[in-house]
C-alpha cells in the first residue's frame, strides 16, 4: 500500500460523527443539520430538463476536454462575470467533475517530487488541499487565518529559503469557513512571489457566486490577474463549480481556467486519471452556465437567511456577516468541540467545530474556539436553529 495513505487525516465529518455518537438529542426537536456545506435549495428545473433531454448521449464516450459547447459556455460566463477581455475556450478552460477532484488532481500534476516540495494552504482550510499535497509527496505549509490578521494568509511570513521549496499555493476566496475575499493587493503580492519563486497558484473559487450585494460580486483570481496586466494568467489556475452556484452538488460539474501551459499538462494527467464528464452532465452544465436568473434568486434566498439568522446567533456568539459564501464563522464561548457536542445533545442542531477544519501549528490551532454554521437548510429551519443556538449560547 502507498505509505502516504497513512498520513491522511480523518475527514472533519468523520470526526463530527464520532463526537456526536454518544448523544441522544431530544426527540421532540427535529434535527437541523448546519454542519455540512451542502446546498439545499432546489436544483433549477433547467438543469433537470437539459440533463434528461441529453440522456441519449450516454451511448458515447466523452472527451476529457469536454465538448466545445461546454468550454465555450464556461468561457463566456467567465468573461461576463469577471469582465475578462478574452479567454480561449480551446486552451484556457477544462471541465472537471466538481472542483474537489480537480483540486486534488492538480497537485498530482504540478508537484515535482524529485526535489523538495512544499504546498502552501490556508489554515483553517478545505481538507482536500492537505490530502492532495501529501499524496503528491509534498509537505503542507499552513498559513493561519485568524481574526488578528484579518483572516488573510500572510504570505510575507514565509522566508525566501522556504519559498524556494514551494511549488504550489492553494488559496480559497471567498474562503471556507469564513467567507473572506482576497483583495487586489494580496493578489499582486502573490503573483509577484509566484514570478520570483516559480510556483503555481490554485485559486479555489467555488463560493464565488454566493454573496450578498448584487453590485459587489467578489473579486476573482483571473479578474485580479487581468487587472494587473497578466492577461495570459501566468502561473494561475482558477477552480469554479456549479455545486453552490446552481444548487447542483450531485451533478459533479465544475471547471478549471487559466494558464494554458499549466492546463495542457493538467489535461495530459487527466487523460490517464479518467475523469471525463458524462455527456449528459455536460449538456446540463451548458444550460446552467448560460443562465444567471436562478443564481440571482439563489443569492436572494441566502441573503434573507443571513438577515434573519445573524442577529439571533449574535445574541449569544460573536460573529459577523461574511463577505461571501454561506457560513457564519462564530466564536464559541466554550471549547468548540464541546460546544458542538452539547448543542447537538440539548438542541438537536449540528454545527462543525472549527478545530476540525484546521491544524495545530506552533502551538496555535486557528480554528479552535470557533464553530462553522452553514446556513444551507430552508429559511424556517435556519431561523429555528438560530433561535436554538442563541438560547443554548446564552445558557452557558
Ligand atoms: C472550499 C471548497 N472547495 C471546493 C469544494 C468542492 O466542491 P465541488 O466538488 O462540489 O465543486 C468545497 C465543497 O464543499 C469547498 O468547500
Amino acid at each position: 500500500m502507498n505509505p502516504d495513505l497513512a498520513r491522511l487525516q480523518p475527514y472533519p465529518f468523520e470526526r463530527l460523527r464520532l463526537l456526536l455518537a454518544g448523544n441522544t438529542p431530544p426527540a421532540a426537536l427535529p434535527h437541523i443539520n448546519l454542519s455540512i456545506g451542502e446546498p439545499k435549495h432546489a436544483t433549477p428545473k433547467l438543469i433537470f430538463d437539459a440533463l434528461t433531454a441529453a440522456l441519449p448521449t450516454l451511448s458515447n464516450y466523452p472527451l476529457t476536454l469536454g465538448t466545445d459547447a461546454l468550454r465555450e459556455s464556461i468561457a463566456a460566463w467567465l468573461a461576463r462575470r469577471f469582465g475578462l477581455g478574452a479567454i480561449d475556450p480551446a486552451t484556457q478552460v477544462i471541465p472537471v467533475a466538481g472542483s474537489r477532484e480537480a483540486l486534488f488532481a492538480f497537485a498530482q500534476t504540478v508537484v515535482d517530487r524529485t526535489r523538495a516540495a512544499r504546498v502552501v494552504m490556508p489554515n483553517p482550510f478545505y481538507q482536500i488541499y492537505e490530502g492532495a499535497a501529501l499524496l503528491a509527496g509534498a509537505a503542507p505549509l499552513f498559513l493561519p487565518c485568524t481574526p488578528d490578521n484579518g483572516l488573510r494568509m500572510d504570505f510575507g511570513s514565509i522566508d525566501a529559503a522556504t519559498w524556494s521549496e514551494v511549488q504550489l499555493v492553494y488559496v480559497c476566496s471567498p474562503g471556507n469557513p469564513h467567507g473572506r475575499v482576497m483583495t487586489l493587493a494580496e493578489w499582486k503580492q502573490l503573483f509577484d512571489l509566484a514570478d520570483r519563486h516559480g510556483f503555481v497558484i490554485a485559486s479555489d473559487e467555488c463560493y464565488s457566486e454566493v454573496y450578498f450585494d448584487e453590485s459587489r460580486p467578489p473579486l476573482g483570481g483571473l479578474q485580479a490577474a487581468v487587472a494587473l496586466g497578466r492577461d495570459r494568467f501566468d502561473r494561475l489556475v482558477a477552480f469554479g463549480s456549479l455545486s453552490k452556484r446552481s444548487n447542483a452538488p450531485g451533478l459533479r460539474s465544475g471547471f478549471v481556467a487559466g494558464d494554458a501551459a499549466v492546463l495542457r499538462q493538467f489535461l495530459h494527467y487527466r487523460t490517464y486519471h479518467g475523469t471525463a464528464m458524462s455527456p449528459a452532465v455536460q449538456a446540463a452544465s451548458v444550460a446552467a452556465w448560460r443562465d444567471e436568473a436562478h443564481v440571482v434568486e439563489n443569492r436572494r434566498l441566502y441573503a434573507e437567511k443571513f438577515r434573519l439568522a445573524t442577529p439571533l446567533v449574535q445574541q449569544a456568539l460573536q460573529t459577523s456577516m461574511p463577505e461571501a459564501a454561506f457560513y457564519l464563522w462564530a466564536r464559541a464561548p466554550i471549547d468548540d468541540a464541546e460546544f458542538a457536542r452539547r448543542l447537538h445533545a440539548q438542541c438537536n442542531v449540528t454545527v462543525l467545530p472549527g478545530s476540525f477544519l484546521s491544524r495545530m501549528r506552533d502551538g496555535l490551532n486557528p480554528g479552535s474556539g470557533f464553530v462553522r454554521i452553514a446556513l444551507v437548510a430552508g429559511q424556517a429551519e435556519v431561523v429555528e436553529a438560530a433561535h436554538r443556538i442563541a438560547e443554548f449560547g446564552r445558557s452557558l
Side-chain angles (χ1 to χ4, degrees):
M1 288 294 166
N2 180 345
D4 287 338
L5 285 171
R7 303 173 65 203
L8 297 178
Q9 301 280 334
Y11 217 61
F13 299 104
E14 176 57 15
R15 293 176 66 186
L16 185 64
R17 197 182 60 74
L18 294 175
L19 177 76
L20 306 183
N23 283 351
T24 43
L29 294 176
H31 179 229
I32 304 176
N33 186 359
L34 304 183
S35 66
I36 189 164
E38 181 184 36
K40 296 283 184 214
H41 300 163
T43 308
K45 182 171 176 300
L46 62 95
I47 292 186
F48 292 133
D49 290 347
L51 188 66
T52 46
L55 288 179
T57 60
L58 294 182
S59 56
N60 303 113
Y61 268 122
L63 296 177
T64 306
L65 193 54
T67 58
D68 290 349
L70 177 55
R71 276 179 284 103
E72 280 159 15
S73 69
I74 294 169
W77 178 79
L78 284 167
R80 275 198 310 278
R81 166 64 175 85
F82 295 114
L84 311 179
I87 176 147
D88 180 5
T91 60
Q92 293 178 314
V93 177
I94 304 174
V96 299
S99 54
R100 178 184 181 136
E101 64 88 359
L103 288 161
F104 176 82
F106 196 61
Q108 320 312 311
T109 306
V110 167
V111 171
D112 171 1
R113 53 170 80 225
T114 65
R115 59 187 177 90
R118 292 180 190 258
V119 174
V120 171
M121 61 196 71
N123 189 24
F125 61 108
Y126 181 52
Q127 197 159 309
I128 297 301
Y129 314 149
E130 180 190 49
L134 292 171
L135 288 181
L141 200 170
F142 299 105
L143 286 188
C145 301
T146 64
D148 292 346
N149 65 16
L151 300 168
R152 58 172 64 83
M153 293 170 80
D154 183 2
F155 301 117
S157 66
I158 301 177
D159 60 42
T162 307
W163 273 124
S164 69
E165 295 181 355
V166 172
Q167 299 189 21
L168 176 63
V169 173
Y170 284 105
V171 295
C172 185
S173 175
N176 173 1
H178 44 64
R180 184 173 182 276
V181 177
M182 275 174 70
T183 63
L184 191 60
E186 287 168 79
W187 279 110
K188 179 162 183 352
Q189 184 190 17
L190 188 58
F191 291 144
D192 289 348
L193 286 163
D195 289 345
R196 199 170 327 142
H197 301 288
F199 59 80
V200 173
I201 303 163
S203 176
D204 180 354
E205 303 182 15
C206 81
Y207 293 97
S208 70
E209 303 316 292
V210 182
Y211 54 91
F212 309 103
D213 179 349
E214 287 296 324
S215 67
R216 292 185 56 235
L219 177 69
L222 301 177
Q223 187 179 13
V226 169
L228 295 166
R230 304 170 68 91
D231 292 20
R232 295 183 319 141
F233 313 118
D234 289 340
R235 308 191 165 284
L236 172 67
V237 172
F239 294 67
S241 173
L242 288 176
S243 299
K244 327 280 182 190
R245 173 187 182 269
S246 299
N247 298 310
L251 193 64
R252 309 313 301 134
S253 179
F255 66 81
V256 290
D259 187 323
V262 177
L263 290 190
R264 197 164 44 244
Q265 297 297 330
F266 194 37
L267 182 66
H268 185 53
Y269 173 88
R270 296 177 68 73
T271 311
Y272 282 85
H273 197 73
T275 38
M277 187 187 289
S278 157
V281 171
Q282 293 195 51
S285 304
V286 170
W289 289 116
R290 283 184 183 158
D291 184 73
E292 218 47 55
H294 74 277
V295 191
V296 175
E297 171 59 9
N298 194 35
R299 278 195 287 274
R300 193 187 65 73
L301 295 175
Y302 281 119
E304 188 61 5
K305 289 192 285 185
F306 273 91
R307 190 181 68 75
L308 296 169
T310 310
L312 291 171
V313 174
Q314 281 171 331
Q315 289 177 12
L317 311 183
Q318 200 185 322
T319 189
S320 55
M321 267 301 283
E323 283 181 76
F326 49 49
Y327 302 109
L328 282 174
W329 184 236
R331 218 181 260 278
I334 55 174
D335 172 80
D336 54 295
E338 185 58 9
F339 180 91
R341 195 188 63 73
R342 285 171 55 186
L343 177 69
H344 177 254
Q346 291 175 34
C347 307
N348 214 0
V349 172
T350 315
V351 298
L352 192 64
S355 56
F356 289 11
L357 291 165
S358 50
R359 296 282 172 264
M360 176 79 89
R361 281 295 176 278
D362 304 325
L364 169 79
N365 183 330
S368 80
F370 288 86
V371 288
R372 192 189 75 176
I373 306 171
L375 300 197
V376 286
Q379 181 180 307
E381 271 189 304
V382 162
V383 171
E384 166 65 17
H387 277 292
R388 292 190 210 167
I389 291 170
E391 199 180 318
F392 171 72
R394 283 197 305 263
S395 75
L396 292 172

